[in-house]
Amino acid sequence: MLKLIVCLKQVPIVTELPWDEQAGTLRRDLASGMMNLACLHALEAALQIKEQYSADILAITMGPPAAEEVLREAIALGADRGIHLCDRIFAGSDTYATSWMLARTIKQECPDYDLILCGSYTSDSETAQVGPQLAEELDLPAAAYIEKLEIHGRTLRVRRLVDNFRETLEMEFPALVTVSLENYKPRYAGLSGLEAAFDTGNIDRLNAADVGINKSAIETDGSRTKVRKVFLRKANKENILLTGTAANVVGDFLSKYESKISWAIGKDIEEDRNDE
Amino acid sequence: MMNSRQKSIWVFGDYRNYFQNRVTLQLISRAVDLSRIISAEVCAVILGHEIDEYIMEYTAHGADRIIAVDDPVLKNYNTELYVTLMEALVKERDPDIVLIGATDFGREFAPRMAKRLKTGLSADCVGLDVEADGLLIQTAPSFGGNMLAEIVTSRHRPQMATIRPGTFKEIPHNYERRSLVEKLPLMKNLPRPRIRLVEYERSVEKEHTIENAAVIVCGGRGMGNKKKFKKLNDLAKLLNGDVGATRPVVYAGWADHDALVGQAGKHIKPKILFSFGISGAIQHTAGLGEADFIIAVNKNPQATMMKMADVAIVGDTSDVLHTLIKELRKRIRD
Ligand SMILES: Cc1cc2nc3c(=O)[nH]c(=O)nc-3n(C[C@H](O)[C@H](O)[C@H](O)COP(=O)(O)OP(=O)(O)OC[C@H]3O[C@@H](n4cnc5c(N)ncnc54)[C@H](O)[C@@H]3O)c2cc1C
Ligand SMILES: Cc1cc2nc3c(=O)[nH]c(=O)nc-3n(C[C@H](O)[C@H](O)[C@H](O)COP(=O)(O)OP(=O)(O)OC[C@H]3O[C@@H](n4cnc5c(N)ncnc54)[C@H](O)[C@@H]3O)c2cc1C
């Protein structure tokens, strides 16, 4: 029986992302969450392995109390159990710390895993760093952005497209992969499945002490980076308004910006002399 | 004599796909800017086999020093070997900053390297600055590119970042330039790689997708009907670009689902985005955060899309489109 671990993250739903104009920060505390898309693809890959071979799927998430929802969703879809790592002192962890905390939990709760599946990246901070760093922390062979995987005995074979190279890689279990959005289109849980998952007791909530993490450990093994400031990207746009006949606005536009367009398309654009 | 330690900024030499992938040259250029502020040297590190060409190129584009490990074992990129080699080099030389291109390889390799060195890493940066005391300010996009975050690694060294290709401009080459070239032997006792590259081939299939198109022409309900919408293809073709669409348009069958841009579709990052007849609902603009330069065409100057644009053209979509295509046909020289 294969032991699979899927790492899932809850991310804010973008339409509801409340932005505090005054403070210039995100009110992430107010946003409601959903399972990150790439995590759903990772889960789908695990579910397909489970359908083909016999496998046990453990879903792990680290996040605030509401993040438990992603574990319920995972169980509704076919995961066997969930671990919710939840503690105020985890808040604000960077990928260095997140991968360390996930690794501690995995070493303690499920050390005999065969394969860990992560999403390739999240839709909020999008670093794509947690998977590779978790692999480093656990000293595992790993491949990022995989599109397809096959298992032959204890050998994992994956296909992926990186920097325009189509690669096939092989490694032995235990291993880690991050799953891209190319394949493994996620299935959706019916309402009844979600309701059933709501009643199951297959979710353990662990706090920092449960996995042997305290303040002084966080001092040494915790975050390396700090987000100093978050700001809206388009704050200083020019926003030029052009009005008039189509001929006029297009003429205006091209005379101001043709060098920009020419740079983007890599071709020369020239004022047409016959026109004058 | 004062023997203050020479600061140094390292750039990882990512030379695969050399002619398309200019990110290493772009990073050398930025490193040169930053090095002036903190009086550092710029060093390019190249791991590979038969790499003299890159030693020459990185020197010509601004590197002061080159550290090169040239060995047949390094013929193909290999995350595990590269991490081990970089770990050893960094521990020996102690650079202040290490910059790595945010190619697929860079984004897989850099996190492991940072973890091994117990230091921080910021991802896919679109801006880099340095303060006089040497603190690197790393600006990275988040939330579909709609927001930017300033990230610092204050207490650990080296400060590491991956940087999106195209963020900086390379310095034009000067083959008269000289650098200090150090060719180092391959370390002994390298671990046996656990990952086997069974097969690889250069792929063409995904080189052109809407996600990496430099120009995108997006159309919305304001195109009026399918036939008029299809005219967007002509503009896209002229500009070597792709066509994108809003959800109502995809639902109406004017465009394929692959063209959907937004929360439920693709996140795009073109250098130039044309937006025709699109109101600018947040579910759509969630996918546009990384468009550099936006031109919106709408009959309603108050539309959100018009407010977001760099250039907002008030007018009828078909009129403007038709005129624009006609003018560009006259002016573009292949
Ligand atoms: C605006 C902003 C910018 C940031 N920039 C940086 C930065 O440059 N460097 C840095 O080190 N940190 C950064 N962080 C912190 C980072 O967001 C957190 O460390 C976060 O917990 C994980 O990063 P991610 O969302 O980018 O995950 P990714 O690495 O993109 O996630 C990939 C996969 O890892 C797994 N995973 C990630 N998080 C969890 C989790 N909490 N529980 C279970 N599985 C998980 C999932 O399978 C996921 O699909 C930033 C945070 C913010 C808000
Ligand atoms: C959960 C959810 C997810 C969604 N995800 C997405 C997504 O991923 N992508 C997406 O695009 N949408 C998405 N939507 C839909 C989104 O909310 C908007 O409805 C949609 O983006 C609007 O498309 P539009 O701008 O083409 O149409 P409209 O909002 O109808 O705007 C048409 C615009 O064209 C202008 N116009 C009309 N006629 C002319 C003319 N002749 N000349 C010039 N201008 C003209 C109008 O002034 C108007 O501004 C989602 C919605 C939900 C609820």
Side-chain angles (χ1 to χ4, degrees):
Chain A
M1 168 123 110
L2 287 169
K3 290 212 165 172
L4 310 179
I5 296 178
V6 193
C7 296
L8 304 173
K9 185 182 178 191
Q10 192 182 44
V11 293
I13 296 181
V14 68
T15 58
E16 295 177 7
L17 207 61
W19 174 253
D20 185 337
E21 292 278 355
Q22 296 272 294
T25 56
L26 273 179
R27 301 292 311 274
R28 281 227 258 188
D29 48 328
L30 296 184
S32 65
M34 60 179 190
M35 194 184 315
N36 177 56
L37 189 58
C39 295
L40 271 169
H41 285 254
L43 177 62
E44 178 62 32
L47 293 170
Q48 290 188 19
I49 296 173
K50 184 175 168 176
E51 281 163 3
Q52 212 178 337
Y53 312 91
S54 95
D56 175 81
I57 302 177
L58 166 64
I60 300 183
T61 192
M62 181 176 100
E68 190 176 308
E69 286 164 26
V70 302
L71 297 179
R72 299 210 175 278
E73 190 179 342
I75 290 172
L77 289 168
D80 296 280
R81 63 193 177 103
I83 292 178
H84 181 193
L85 201 54
C86 182
D87 198 307
R88 295 183 86 95
I89 69 169
F90 296 149
S93 296
D94 71 358
T95 65
Y96 187 93
T98 301
S99 53
W100 167 62
M101 290 156 179
L102 291 172
R104 293 239 13 165
T105 309
I106 289 169
K107 280 183 201 161
Q108 175 177 316
E109 299 293 317
C110 185
D112 55 345
Y113 59 86
D114 297 297
L115 178 63
I116 301 177
L117 302 102
C118 291
S120 48
Y121 67 94
T122 64
S123 65
D124 55 353
S125 40
E126 305 177 16
T127 65
Q129 293 177 180
V130 171
Q133 294 199 320
L134 180 59
E136 182 63 31
E137 190 78 53
L138 294 167
D139 190 21
L140 295 175
Y145 325 109
I146 67 119
E147 293 178 2
K148 202 84 207 132
L149 56 78
E150 284 166 38
I151 295 168
H152 304 282
R154 300 286 301 161
T155 302
L156 175 70
R157 172 184 275 238
V158 300
R159 280 175 56 81
R160 63 177 189 174
L161 184 60
V162 287
D163 297 325
N164 293 328
F165 283 90
R166 179 154 285 299
E167 296 183 343
T168 305
L169 304 172
E170 270 184 8
M171 63 200 95
E172 306 301 311
F173 285 146
L176 181 148
V177 292
T178 80
V179 180
S180 83
L181 299 182
E182 271 328 295
N183 235 316
Y184 296 114
K185 296 276 177 259
R187 62 193 76 187
Y188 289 95
L191 212 51
S192 57
L194 273 174
E195 275 164 9
F198 229 79
D199 301 325
T200 58
N202 278 343
I203 296 178
D204 286 328
R205 187 189 283 196
L206 304 179
N207 63 23
D210 294 332
V211 292
I213 293 177
N214 57 25
K215 274 232 170 68
S216 81
I218 286 188
E219 276 294 303
T220 50
D221 293 319
S223 297
R224 266 51 181 158
T225 63
K226 222 177 100 188
V227 178
R228 281 220 300 206
K229 191 161 96 186
V230 181
F231 51 100
L232 279 174
R233 188 190 186 95
K234 298 292 179 199
N236 48 5
K237 281 219 149 199
E238 255 198 282
N239 194 236
I240 292 169
L241 195 72
L242 298 178
T243 57
T245 64
N248 282 340
V249 288
V250 168
D252 267 9
F253 167 69
L254 287 178
S255 61
K256 276 207 185 78
Y257 297 107
E258 64 190 9
S259 62
K260 195 164 192 99
I261 297 177
S262 135
W263 168 73
I265 66 178
K267 290 184 195 170
D268 283 343
I269 300 182
E270 282 190 357
E271 202 83 48
D272 187 64
R273 284 172 222 284
N274 306 332
D275 230 24
E276 285 170 10
Chain B
M1 217 180 80
M2 275 269 293
N3 194 9
S4 72
R5 183 183 145 269
Q6 167 73 59
K7 286 201 161 133
S8 97
I9 303 178
W10 283 17
V11 175
F12 175 78
D14 185 347
Y15 51 79
R16 192 158 70 168
N17 298 319
Y18 184 75
F19 290 101
Q20 301 96 306
N21 171 15
R22 310 293 284 188
V23 70
T24 308
L25 304 181
Q26 295 158 4
L27 293 184
I28 290 173
S29 155
R30 188 60 185 166
V32 168
D33 296 340
L34 301 178
S35 72
R36 299 212 169 101
I37 302 170
I38 56 169
S39 320
E41 87 175 351
V42 173
C43 169
V45 182
I46 315 175
L47 312 177
H49 186 46
E50 293 168 347
I51 49 184
D52 286 346
E53 182 190 348
Y54 309 116
I55 296 179
M56 183 180 77
E57 290 290 336
Y58 296 164
T59 302
H61 284 87
D64 302 315
R65 182 191 294 266
I66 307 279
I67 296 178
V69 183
D70 187 334
D71 194 284
V73 169
L74 304 175
K75 185 167 155 285
N76 291 314
Y77 277 19
N78 178 304
T79 318
E80 292 178 291
L81 288 181
Y82 278 38
V83 169
T84 304
L85 287 168
M86 287 301 281
E87 178 198 15
L89 292 171
V90 167
K91 283 188 170 157
E92 185 188 309
R93 310 286 182 110
D94 198 19
D96 299 88
I97 293 172
V98 179
L99 306 177
I100 298 172
T103 56
D104 293 337
F105 175 76
R107 294 193 71 179
E108 181 177 29
F109 153 73
R112 288 196 83 137
M113 175 178 159
K115 186 96 215 183
R116 184 81 62 88
L117 291 164
K118 302 192 187 306
T119 189
L121 174 70
S122 62
D124 205 20
C125 293
V126 294
L128 287 178
D129 288 287
V130 72
E131 291 181 348
D133 63 358
L135 187 68
L136 185 69
I137 314 300
Q138 308 152 40
T139 305
S142 56
F143 299 99
N146 287 289
M147 288 173 203
L148 294 174
E150 260 185 32
I151 294 147
V152 293
T153 300
S154 12
R155 299 205 322 272
H156 297 82
R157 292 293 177 271
Q159 304 169 82
M160 288 183 58
T162 60
I163 293 90
R164 173 165 313 168
T167 301
F168 301 111
K169 262 210 174 70
E170 65 192 63
I171 303 171
H173 61 76
N174 168 7
Y175 292 110
E176 308 289 295
R177 270 193 103 255
R178 290 291 166 263
S179 68
L180 205 77
V181 179
E182 296 182 59
K183 292 195 176 178
L184 305 179
L186 192 68
M187 269 170 66
K188 303 239 153 24
N189 314 322
L190 274 179
R192 231 177 73 106
R194 292 169 293 184
I195 298 175
R196 298 180 291 279
L197 182 60
V198 179
E199 203 173 79
Y200 71 98
E201 58 181 343
R202 193 178 278 279
S203 149
V204 280
E205 57 198 283
K206 232 178 42 175
E207 275 174 15
H208 196 82
T209 67
I210 190 163
E211 280 129 317
N212 64 24
V215 178
I216 293 174
V217 181
C218 249
R221 193 138 57 178
M223 287 311 297
N225 59 42
K226 183 168 180 171
K227 188 159 162 242
K228 290 180 176 170
F229 185 91
K230 291 288 174 207
K231 286 268 184 249
L232 295 171
N233 288 328
D234 297 351
L235 179 60
K237 249 199 214 108
L238 265 173
L239 301 175
N240 296 339
D242 272 357
V243 172
T246 62
R247 196 169 77 165
V249 159
V250 170
Y251 280 5
W254 302 356
D256 285 343
H257 195 273
D258 276 348
L260 178 63
V261 172
Q263 178 187 343
K266 304 281 167 51
H267 287 193
I268 56 176
K269 44 187 177 206
K271 292 184 175 134
I272 297 192
L273 170 67
F274 285 91
S275 174
F276 280 89
I278 293 176
S279 58
I282 179 138
Q283 295 90 345
H284 176 68
T285 59
L288 309 180
E290 311 215 14
D292 264 352
F293 188 76
I294 302 179
I295 302 110
V297 181
N298 201 305
K299 64 183 181 190
N300 173 10
Q302 303 303 323
T304 310
M305 202 60 233
M306 297 284 272
K307 304 274 185 205
M308 268 185 74
D310 296 85
V311 181
I313 298 179
V314 184
D316 177 74
T317 48
S318 293
D319 283 355
V320 174
L321 180 62
H322 178 77
T323 316
L324 186 59
I325 291 172
K326 201 177 74 189
E327 282 302 315
L328 281 171
R329 283 212 172 113
K330 283 198 258 174
R331 298 181 190 213
I332 291 182
R333 311 205 325 170
D334 281 293

